[in-house]
Amino acid sequence: MDELVLASLDSSVFDVDNLIENIAYKSTDGNVINENFDPSLLESKFRHAMSILQDYQVQTDQNIKHLEELCEKERNTWANSVAQLEELYQSTYTGQQELEMRISVISTKVIQIGHQLESKSNPRQQLIDARTTAKYLERFLDANDDVSLMFQDASKLEQAAHIIHQLYNVLQELPDEPKFIDAKTKVKERYLAIEEELLLEFSRAQVRNDKKAMKKYIKLLSKFKGHNDCIQNFITDCLKGYFDNPNIDIFNSIPQLFTKVSELINEIFDQPEKVTERLIITVYTEKLAPYVRDQLDPYVRNPDLDNMEKYLQTLYTLSKKATKLSNDLQTQKISDDPAFLHKLNQHVFKTYLKTYSKYEINCLEEKFQVHLERVESTGGQRRIKPTGLSITDIIQQRLLNTTDQVDESRFSPDLAAALLNDCKTAMNRITTLSEGLEAAENILQCFLRLLNALGNQHIETELQYSLQAIPGPEPKQEPDIRFFHAILQTNNSIQLIERYFVMDIAPLLLGTQQQAVLLQTKEKVFGQLEDLINIGIDKALLCIIGFVRNILNEQKRSDFKPESDLFISECSPICKRVVRSIDNQIVRLEQTADGKNLTSIFNEFGLRFHRLITDHVFKFEYNISGGLMMLQDISEYKKCSKKFRSSTVEQLFSILHALVNLLVVVPDNLRQVITEGHLASLTRDIIESFVQLRTDYKSARLHAMITTDQ
């Protein structure tokens, strides 16, 4: 029993219910329902188990108390240690502050002493230099003294450079009198000779990569006029042979060159920023500009469409690479002027950017015309040039050249995609190669060309052609209206243009004058297309309704006044043909239109169909059998009306069904029927107009039943 209880306590999860079950099972050997079951034995076992648990609890409490005492002791020990460390840190920090104050005081005194020493030393050095200069000036003024030998010692070149510089400056202040002319000439000769020797020594030091010597000679040359020549010679030597390989990528090589040379420039020149700027200017003007010219000029000399596209794409690629190059160099702090590299880029591409807009717009127009001609040339039909011809002339000419109805392939979704792709390519180039108002104007012109090519030259022309191909208002055969396909293609193209405008064009023109111009033009083009679509829908529905009218006209007056009573169980054959024709047109519409356009067309179609059926009902007089026949037809038309997906059309047919039902209502029930359902809201004139169609209208005195109140 003890082992069982202790095993339960040692487990990871102590389960009281499980322990009780185990104790009960062990105590009774599993025979709880046996007649010999002894509850006192089970009670003693449970009490023993409880005593074990209580002992274990006492032991556990003692262990916890002991551990808490140990933790408290450890905490006190570490708290004392932390307090001692804080006291030590505070003492150290105070000592550091005192040392820093003493160092600051001493540094200030050292600087003051240095300034005092310098103020005493500089005048003395200036006096020594003036005395030395006066000594050599006296010798140059002596016509009999040959002073050339004293500057020929190469080991004293630095001293000679200092002296000749001083002499040259002094003599520049003296007047051009005869007694000074000879001395000025000699000094100038020595000045130029020493300057040339310094340049030569600098070049030699650069060849052997002697940075210390280079720095010494550039410092000496800083006092001479040849200092700029020295810098230019340094740059020329750095560039020598670096770009001679024709396969080298110049845009990657320039940053590599700068990384290679910048450390040397910073080490030997007192003003490295100026030297670096001059290096970059030399690279851009003497290396990058000729490279760009070699890449672009061959295309300009032969400006056909293919070469113009290559020219524009090459210019775009080179400009992007140059911009990336400038951004990479700018991160290395080449110049304090943030526009320095941008100005160099503008200088390199200045000639080409002046004519870029003209080339871009002309190239886009030519590409659009090529795409339009390719679409027109499919199936052997060549595009008629618009020169001297209106859209109507083009439509008539095309209709004369073919006996087919409108070919769906003439509406080319591939054309819209191709034109948009060309326009996007041009827009990418414009945003890179144009800036400010010029960029906005170029974007406007490109999008106007897209609207003209896709909207006017393609969609409007094809809509006009599709419109002309719609049969007349009284066709003898069921019309296959392909104009609905033209509507679908037009809507798809308009959505492509609108999506492109909203996502890509509008953000670029936000807040500009060009935005208003573009919106106005776009709405005008879309409005013209919408007008054509409305005209086409009207003409198509006239055609469809005209064909249905021809079917209905086959019904005769005698059909609705049969001499004998007939059993009417279904609609007439004419009704079946009408419904079948309407169903066919609805299927075609569902395949070629969607969204709001489909809803609008269905609604108008349903209204015209209802008007046609209503007019058809009023053509005849009806006896009871004829009225039942018409009621069956109207029931079928009512079912058909649900396919128009218009609540208005459905309600109109429901009302029509209720009105036609008046043709078969027993006269005694007529007064009650007209006050129920849909008829309750109609005027008595409308109700009577239908009741008058009954053959028993006069004989049964139905007028009195309608007009007399109950």
Side-chain angles (χ1 to χ4, degrees):
M1 178 62 66
D2 294 354
E3 294 178 355
L4 177 62
V5 176
L6 293 176
S8 298
L9 291 173
D10 291 339
S11 63
S12 58
V13 179
F14 177 69
D15 188 348
V16 176
D17 295 335
N18 186 48
L19 177 61
I20 293 172
E21 292 292 335
N22 288 336
I23 293 173
Y25 184 82
K26 291 286 185 180
S27 301
T28 61
D29 293 331
N31 298 320
V32 179
I33 59 175
N34 197 307
E35 294 180 356
N36 298 324
F37 172 68
D38 186 2
S40 60
L41 176 61
L42 183 59
E43 180 186 4
S44 64
K45 294 293 184 182
F46 277 125
R47 290 185 179 278
H48 180 63
M50 290 175 63
S51 66
I52 295 174
L53 291 174
Q54 289 173 350
D55 293 341
Y56 187 81
Q57 182 180 6
V58 171
Q59 183 180 356
T60 303
D61 290 341
Q62 291 175 353
N63 291 337
I64 292 172
K65 184 176 180 181
H66 178 67
L67 291 174
E68 288 178 346
E69 291 176 353
L70 290 177
C71 288
E72 181 64 21
K73 183 179 180 181
E74 191 74 13
R75 189 189 69 80
N76 293 333
T77 302
W78 285 110
N80 293 332
S81 299
V82 170
Q84 293 175 1
L85 289 174
E86 288 180 348
E87 184 179 355
L88 179 61
Y89 168 77
Q90 187 64 37
S91 175
T92 304
Y93 179 76
T94 304
Q96 180 186 359
Q97 292 291 101
E98 293 176 355
L99 288 174
E100 287 180 353
M101 292 181 61
R102 293 178 63 186
I103 291 172
S104 177
V105 172
I106 294 173
S107 298
T108 304
K109 291 182 178 180
V110 169
I111 292 172
Q112 291 176 351
I113 294 172
H115 288 163
Q116 292 174 358
L117 292 174
E118 186 177 1
S119 64
K120 299 293 184 178
S121 175
N122 284 343
R124 294 174 183 174
Q125 185 62 41
Q126 291 173 0
L127 289 174
I128 295 172
D129 292 342
R131 180 180 179 184
T132 304
T133 303
K135 175 182 176 182
Y136 282 102
L137 178 60
E138 183 180 1
R139 295 188 62 182
F140 272 101
L141 291 173
D142 187 354
N144 297 323
D145 190 354
D146 186 8
V147 294
S148 61
L149 296 177
M150 68 180 182
F151 293 103
Q152 293 179 357
D153 189 352
S155 62
K156 298 182 179 180
L157 181 60
E158 182 177 355
Q159 181 183 0
H162 178 71
I163 293 172
I164 203 67
H165 173 259
Q166 294 288 343
L167 288 172
Y168 184 80
N169 289 338
V170 170
L171 287 172
Q172 293 300 312
E173 301 295 329
L174 297 178
D176 292 335
E177 295 179 0
K179 61 180 179 179
F180 300 128
I181 294 297
D182 186 54
K184 283 188 175 184
T185 302
K186 292 178 182 179
V187 169
K188 186 175 182 180
E189 290 176 355
R190 285 295 91 200
Y191 180 90
L192 295 175
I194 290 175
E195 183 182 61
E196 184 177 355
E197 183 65 23
L198 289 173
L199 289 172
L200 183 60
E201 289 297 330
F202 178 84
S203 297
R204 290 171 180 168
Q206 185 176 0
V207 170
R208 63 178 184 268
N209 198 27
D210 187 348
K211 298 178 183 178
K212 185 177 180 180
M214 291 170 66
K215 187 173 183 179
K216 180 180 72 173
Y217 290 120
I218 195 66
K219 185 175 182 180
L220 291 173
L221 281 166
S222 63
K223 303 175 182 179
F224 288 78
K225 295 180 179 180
H227 182 254
N228 289 332
D229 294 335
C230 178
I231 295 175
Q232 190 58 48
N233 291 342
F234 170 78
I235 293 173
T236 302
D237 289 341
C238 291
L239 299 180
K240 189 179 297 182
Y242 197 80
F243 297 99
D244 292 345
N245 186 356
N247 297 323
I248 194 171
D249 186 346
I250 190 170
F251 293 99
N252 289 333
S253 300
I254 292 176
Q256 295 172 5
L257 170 67
F258 176 77
T259 302
K260 176 182 176 182
V261 178
S262 60
E263 183 179 354
L264 180 61
I265 292 175
N266 291 330
E267 189 171 345
I268 67 175
F269 289 99
D270 292 334
Q271 294 181 315
E273 298 84 5
K274 301 295 183 183
V275 179
T276 302
E277 285 185 6
R278 191 163 177 177
L279 170 64
I280 295 300
I281 291 172
T282 303
V283 170
Y284 268 70
T285 55
E286 297 183 8
K287 301 298 179 181
L288 184 58
Y291 174 80
V292 170
R293 187 165 54 250
D294 292 342
Q295 296 291 315
L296 295 175
D297 285 359
Y299 299 123
V300 179
R301 287 193 288 268
N302 185 21
D304 57 17
L305 179 58
D306 185 54
N307 279 340
M308 277 299 93
E309 176 62 24
K310 291 179 180 177
Y311 166 79
L312 292 170
Q313 194 58 34
T314 304
L315 177 60
Y316 169 72
T317 303
L318 292 175
S319 180
K320 284 198 69 175
K321 288 184 177 181
T323 301
K324 182 179 181 301
L325 170 63
S326 298
N327 293 336
D328 292 343
L329 293 177
Q330 189 65 42
T331 59
Q332 303 184 46
K333 299 181 180 180
I334 287 179
S335 173
D336 295 333
D337 183 5
F340 171 70
L341 292 168
H342 177 71
K343 293 175 182 177
L344 287 179
N345 269 344
Q346 292 294 315
H347 174 76
V348 171
F349 292 95
K350 177 175 61 177
T351 304
Y352 305 101
L353 294 178
K354 284 182 179 179
T355 58
Y356 161 70
S357 298
K358 179 183 70 175
Y359 283 137
E360 186 68 80
I361 301 302
N362 292 342
C363 181
L364 189 63
E365 282 186 336
E366 291 187 28
K367 286 163 67 177
F368 283 174
Q369 290 304 317
V370 168
H371 289 308
L372 291 168
E373 291 174 5
R374 185 178 296 118
V375 170
E376 282 293 327
S377 65
T378 56
Q381 294 290 334
R382 294 298 301 170
R383 184 177 182 83
I384 302 170
K385 295 294 183 181
T387 304
L389 295 175
S390 66
I391 291 180
T392 304
D393 296 330
I394 296 174
I395 300 301
Q396 292 175 349
Q397 185 66 33
R398 187 192 288 178
L399 290 171
L400 290 174
N401 291 338
T402 178
T403 58
D404 298 332
Q405 282 203 12
V406 59
D407 181 7
E408 294 182 8
S409 65
R410 291 185 181 275
F411 266 99
S412 173
D414 294 336
L415 173 65
L419 296 182
L420 275 175
N421 185 59
D422 288 341
C423 192
K424 288 179 180 179
T425 302
M427 291 296 180
N428 287 336
R429 292 196 289 250
I430 287 171
T431 54
T432 299
L433 300 173
S434 304
E435 296 179 346
L437 293 177
E438 182 185 7
E441 184 63 27
N442 288 340
I443 292 171
L444 170 66
Q445 294 303 321
C446 282
F447 197 79
L448 290 180
R449 265 65 176 182
L450 175 65
L451 286 175
N452 179 61
L454 188 56
N456 295 333
Q457 296 189 47
H458 179 61
I459 298 177
E460 183 176 352
T461 302
E462 300 307 328
L463 279 176
Q464 290 275 14
Y465 177 53
S466 303
L467 188 61
Q468 296 292 332
I470 298 175
E474 298 292 337
K476 301 301 180 183
Q477 297 180 347
E478 183 172 355
D480 182 9
I481 308 297
R482 303 292 183 88
F483 183 79
F484 295 134
H485 177 80
I487 296 176
L488 176 65
Q489 296 296 333
T490 299
N491 288 332
N492 289 341
S493 298
I494 288 177
Q495 288 175 8
L496 284 175
I497 297 175
E498 189 65 34
R499 188 181 304 114
Y500 177 56
F501 173 78
V502 172
M503 299 299 294
D504 297 336
I505 303 301
L508 299 175
L509 296 180
L510 190 63
T512 64
Q513 183 180 359
Q514 286 78 6
Q515 182 185 24
V517 175
L518 191 52
L519 285 171
Q520 183 178 1
T521 306
K522 179 172 68 71
E523 294 305 320
K524 180 180 178 182
V525 173
F526 288 175
Q528 292 171 347
L529 298 179
E530 185 176 355
D531 291 342
L532 283 176
I533 289 174
N534 292 334
I535 294 172
I537 291 173
D538 181 70
K539 187 175 180 181
L541 293 180
L542 279 175
C543 177
I544 295 171
I545 296 299
F547 176 72
V548 174
R549 182 182 292 108
N550 287 336
I551 297 176
L552 292 172
N553 287 340
E554 296 180 17
Q555 288 184 322
K556 302 176 182 179
R557 292 180 180 273
S558 59
D559 294 341
F560 298 101
K561 291 195 297 184
E563 296 180 358
S564 59
D565 293 338
L566 301 176
F567 177 71
I568 310 298
S569 62
E570 61 180 3
C571 63
S572 65
I574 295 297
C575 175
K576 292 179 180 179
R577 288 173 56 192
V578 169
V579 171
R580 184 165 56 250
S581 177
I582 295 295
D583 286 344
N584 291 339
Q585 298 301 335
I586 287 176
V587 169
R588 292 192 183 101
L589 278 169
E590 289 175 337
Q591 292 173 347
T592 56
D594 57 7
K596 294 181 180 179
N597 294 315
L598 182 62
T599 302
S600 177
I601 295 173
F602 270 168
N603 187 68
E604 182 63 24
F605 190 4
L607 292 175
R608 295 192 185 198
F609 180 55
H610 172 266
R611 191 178 303 117
L612 173 65
I613 298 301
T614 302
D615 293 342
H616 180 68
V617 170
F618 278 103
K619 288 182 179 180
F620 309 104
E621 288 185 351
Y622 307 87
N623 59 18
I624 294 299
S625 296
L628 288 173
M629 183 183 297
M630 178 56 75
L631 188 60
Q632 286 287 351
D633 288 356
I634 296 300
S635 296
E636 197 65 29
Y637 296 146
K638 181 182 176 183
K639 294 178 184 177
C640 181
S641 70
K642 297 181 183 298
K643 299 176 183 178
F644 292 111
R645 307 176 192 174
S646 171
S647 58
T648 301
V649 174
E650 287 187 38
Q651 184 178 12
L652 288 173
F653 271 95
S654 297
I655 294 172
L656 180 60
H657 183 273
L659 288 168
V660 172
N661 185 58
L662 295 176
L663 301 176
V664 298
V665 173
V666 177
D668 293 340
N669 296 334
L670 191 60
R671 182 178 289 111
Q672 179 182 352
V673 171
I674 63 176
T675 60
E676 297 174 347
H678 293 293
L679 301 180
S681 60
L682 300 179
T683 64
R684 296 300 170 90
D685 292 339
I686 296 176
I687 293 174
E688 186 171 7
S689 65
F690 278 84
V691 175
Q692 286 176 349
L693 300 177
R694 295 174 56 142
T695 55
D696 61 348
Y697 174 71
K698 293 182 179 180
S699 61
R701 304 183 67 180
L702 300 180
H703 172 73
M705 296 182 180
I706 298 173
T707 56
T708 303
D709 296 333
Q710 289 184 335

